[in-house]
Amino acid sequence: MSAEPAATVAPAPGATGPRRGRRGARWRSPFTPYLLALPGGLWLAIFFVVPMLVMLSVSLQTGNVVDGFVQTFHFAVYPDAIRQYSDQFIRSFAYGGICTVLCVVLAYPMAYWIAFHGGRRRSTYLFLVLLPFFVSFVIRTVSWKFLLADDGVLLGNLKDIGLLPDDFRVLATSTAVIGGLTYNSFPFMLLPIYVALERMDPKLLEAADDLYAGRAAVFGRVVLPLSMPGVFAGVLLTFVPATSDYVNASILGGTSDTMIGNIIQTTFLTNADYPLASAISFILMVILLVGIFIYARVLGTRDVFEMGTR
């Protein structure tokens, strides 16, 4: 009896052959994630880590512009800077904190309305919100100065009709500085919150409604927890720039509203005291990094992102 020849099985379309298998194994190398992160890591190292190390080195030097600066590891500049400019540090963090809270209070309802009630015009509404921010940051801040001037378009007319006393003023006060910071930081809070709300599954809201949950319960148990990643990102994007800002305090504030950014600008550009300016900048950066770390630990970044992916 003759044996029947064995049937030849053709490989299925798309099957991985020996060569493709070796290629896939090469791409699944354990070094692949590090290679993908290498360009971003080099970018951060060149434009963040290296300048920070240079700034730290400059802060420990002594000398002047005429005779030059010499590395003497003068660590006493740090306690001296904190003691001399403690009021400006406190004022900057207070202004930044108030600005962040105001941005959350103002941006969250608007982002909620656009995300859930904007319909087909959501892109249009977002464009209208962002339209003023296509203008230069400085020009927008200067426009606030003209608007809030003692005899300007707004206050001048209100004084003329007797709604405000003649000695009422807003410029050169902390209110004007915080208002300018809030206005300029507003989109950095609104956009992350809107993205978190917009990607929310509507079926979750429908399920909560089917379970006879009221609007307050739906917001507190479903909407707010799922939008926390956006709030988390918005707080970081708002608080850090607002705390280190100096433009609003220079244009809208007075001598009693100086922020630490103004001190750094004056010390570096006007007084040419590079070690002191570098020390103040390094102190500000360290305080912000520690504050962000504590904020992330208290709020729990893992819990935040778990809320956003449920």
Side-chain angles (χ1 to χ4, degrees):
M1 181 181 295
S2 59
E4 296 180 358
T8 301
V9 180
T16 303
R19 181 175 298 178
R20 295 189 63 182
R22 288 194 299 270
R23 185 180 301 173
R26 184 167 65 251
W27 279 108
R28 288 194 297 269
S29 170
F31 298 102
T32 301
Y34 300 100
L35 293 176
L36 294 175
L38 182 60
L42 290 176
W43 181 272
L44 290 176
I46 294 173
F47 293 102
F48 179 76
V49 178
V50 174
M52 290 301 102
L53 294 177
V54 173
M55 186 173 65
L56 177 62
S57 175
V58 172
S59 67
L60 300 177
Q61 298 177 4
T62 54
N64 53 66
V65 178
V66 178
D67 300 327
F69 296 93
V70 181
Q71 183 59 260
T72 58
F73 296 99
H74 184 63
F75 289 96
V77 66
Y78 284 93
D80 292 342
I82 295 175
R83 182 170 53 254
Q84 185 175 359
Y85 300 110
S86 59
D87 293 340
Q88 286 78 11
F89 275 110
I90 296 174
R91 185 179 298 118
S92 298
F93 287 106
Y95 286 1
I98 296 173
C99 165
T100 303
V101 173
L102 289 176
C103 283
V104 173
V105 173
L106 295 175
Y108 199 104
M110 181 175 291
Y112 181 92
W113 185 87
I114 296 176
F116 291 111
H117 303 284
R120 297 180 179 178
R121 299 181 179 178
R122 287 184 295 184
S123 300
T124 304
Y125 296 141
L126 286 176
F127 176 76
L128 292 176
V129 171
L130 298 177
L131 184 61
F133 298 91
F134 286 91
V135 182
S136 171
F137 174 83
V138 177
I139 294 177
R140 284 186 280 111
T141 307
V142 172
S143 66
W144 269 68
K145 183 176 182 179
F146 288 111
L147 184 65
L148 300 178
D150 295 345
D151 298 324
V153 178
L154 180 62
L155 299 184
N157 292 328
L158 293 178
K159 291 179 180 179
D160 291 339
I161 62 178
L163 292 179
L164 292 177
D166 293 336
D167 58 348
F168 181 84
R169 65 177 311 169
V170 178
L171 281 180
T173 63
S174 58
T175 302
V177 177
I178 295 174
L181 289 173
T182 304
Y183 172 76
N184 289 307
S185 303
F186 184 77
F188 299 106
M189 181 66 72
L190 183 141
L191 290 179
I193 296 177
Y194 168 78
V195 172
L197 293 171
E198 194 271 338
R199 65 189 293 265
M200 193 176 301
D201 191 352
K203 295 180 181 179
L204 296 175
L205 304 181
E206 295 176 1
D209 187 64
D210 292 340
L211 295 174
Y212 303 101
R215 292 185 177 181
V218 172
F219 178 80
R221 302 293 295 274
V222 179
V223 177
L224 184 60
L226 291 178
S227 63
M228 283 306 295
V231 177
F232 180 85
V235 168
L236 294 183
L237 293 175
T238 301
F239 180 75
V240 175
T243 302
S244 55
D245 180 81
Y246 68 92
V247 175
N248 288 275
S250 298
I251 298 176
L252 303 177
T255 56
S256 60
D257 302 302
T258 304
M259 299 176 65
I260 197 63
N262 303 106
I263 300 298
I264 295 174
Q265 180 199 27
T266 303
T267 305
F268 189 88
L269 298 178
T270 304
N271 301 337
D273 192 346
Y274 302 142
L276 180 58
S278 300
I280 299 173
S281 302
F282 201 81
I283 292 171
L284 177 63
M285 184 196 67
V286 171
I287 295 176
L288 286 174
L289 289 177
V290 172
I292 292 172
F293 177 77
I294 295 175
Y295 169 72
R297 294 287 295 180
V298 171
L299 189 60
T301 52
R302 180 176 300 178
D303 296 336
V304 167
F305 290 112
E306 285 180 355
M307 292 176 185
T309 55
R310 284 176 184 172

